[in-house]
Amino acid sequence: MIVIRQYHEDDACTVGRLIADTYSEYNLSCFPPEEVGKFLGPFRHAHSSDPAQQAEIARMIDSEMVFVAEEDGEIVGVLRGRKERLASLFVRGDHHRQGVGRMLVQRFEDESRTLGVRVIRISATVYAVPFYRAMGYQRSTGLRRAWSFDGHGLPVQPMKKKLSGTDSNS
Ligand SMILES: CC(C)(COP(=O)(O)OP(=O)(O)OC[C@H]1O[C@@H](n2cnc3c(N)ncnc32)[C@H](O)[C@@H]1OP(=O)(O)O)[C@@H](O)C(=O)NCCC(=O)NCCS
């Protein structure tokens, strides 16, 4: 059974590896191997046990809202966000299409509603556009090229969703 819970700093090492591996495989595979490290920034050291590198990764993961998806005590997905912005979402490849991403986004939207947020914005990876469309997000502009740490040129699709159950007049 999948459980969504708040992220704790103890999760940083596992979450850092999940982000590095999923990002490399699904979003960065179009870049030459020597470029991939630039896009990963500190996450390129996710499999290192160096305490300074792990501390830097923990700082990067930290955000106003971070949720993890757990199955039998194992972390299989992570969502990071803040008020009005879903910053990143990664589900481990062997758990894709099992509803994990949907559960994480629903939790983030529920928390956002309690904060009075009306619109959530994201810069979606091209890979994730069909997922976000299925979640009710719409394209807000054309495709953009974005920075990711020291890497530039990652295609992203700005998208947004108006949350239901929020007051549209204020
Ligand atoms: C995008 C991502 C988070 C989706 O997570 P997921 O747990 O596989 O998604 P879900 O199983 O909750 O999918 C919900 C619905 O979204 C749609 N969907 C999800 N992945 C899809 C895909 N690859 N192609 C088409 N539709 C997709 C489907 O309608 C799906 O429902 P269904 O399986 O009943 O048909 C995951 O693929 C991922 O981690 N990708 C790599 C990292 C990434 O690009 N993250 C986004 C950064 S902004």
Side-chain angles (χ1 to χ4, degrees):
M1 190 179 91
I2 301 289
V3 174
I4 307 297
R5 64 162 174 82
Q6 299 266 7
Y7 160 88
H8 308 300
E9 204 170 307
D10 290 355
D11 303 322
C13 183
T14 310
V15 167
R17 290 174 185 177
L18 188 158
I19 291 175
D21 296 347
T22 313
Y23 194 26
S24 301
E25 182 172 352
Y26 292 93
N27 308 121
L28 302 177
S29 58
C30 56
F31 294 102
E34 64 275 14
E35 290 287 305
V36 168
K38 292 186 189 172
F39 288 90
L40 285 170
F43 290 96
R44 69 189 179 280
H45 302 301
H47 288 274
S48 152
S49 49
D50 181 281
Q53 290 174 338
Q54 287 298 332
E56 176 65 3
I57 287 169
R59 271 196 295 278
M60 285 295 147
I61 295 169
D62 196 26
S63 187
E64 279 172 35
M65 286 186 260
V66 188
F67 300 109
V68 295
E70 233 179 26
E71 186 180 56
D72 299 332
E74 204 178 338
I75 294 175
V76 297
V78 59
L79 182 153
R80 298 173 52 259
R82 55 184 191 274
K83 206 171 176 200
E84 298 177 355
R85 180 151 291 266
L86 196 167
S88 68
L89 169 65
F90 295 95
V91 174
R92 222 171 66 184
D94 60 353
H95 279 68
H96 284 186
R97 303 303 289 263
Q98 294 173 35
V100 177
R102 181 190 297 274
M103 288 173 74
L104 282 163
V105 169
Q106 283 174 345
R107 174 68 179 268
F108 177 66
E109 291 177 356
D110 288 348
E111 294 281 333
S112 297
R113 274 189 200 91
T114 67
L115 296 173
V117 169
R118 296 184 195 93
V119 177
I120 294 178
R121 295 174 196 278
I122 51 173
S123 293
T125 60
V126 171
Y127 184 87
V129 169
F131 166 76
Y132 285 116
R133 284 179 56 83
M135 298 295 102
Y137 288 75
Q138 295 179 334
R139 292 180 173 89
S140 38
T141 69
L143 208 60
R144 298 273 163 85
R145 296 268 166 186
W147 285 93
S148 169
F149 299 103
D150 292 330
H152 186 257
L154 185 72
V156 295
Q157 175 61 63
M159 300 182 87
K160 65 181 176 184
K161 176 177 177 177
K162 183 179 174 306
L163 294 182
S164 58
T166 54
D167 180 2
S168 57
N169 298 319
S170 53

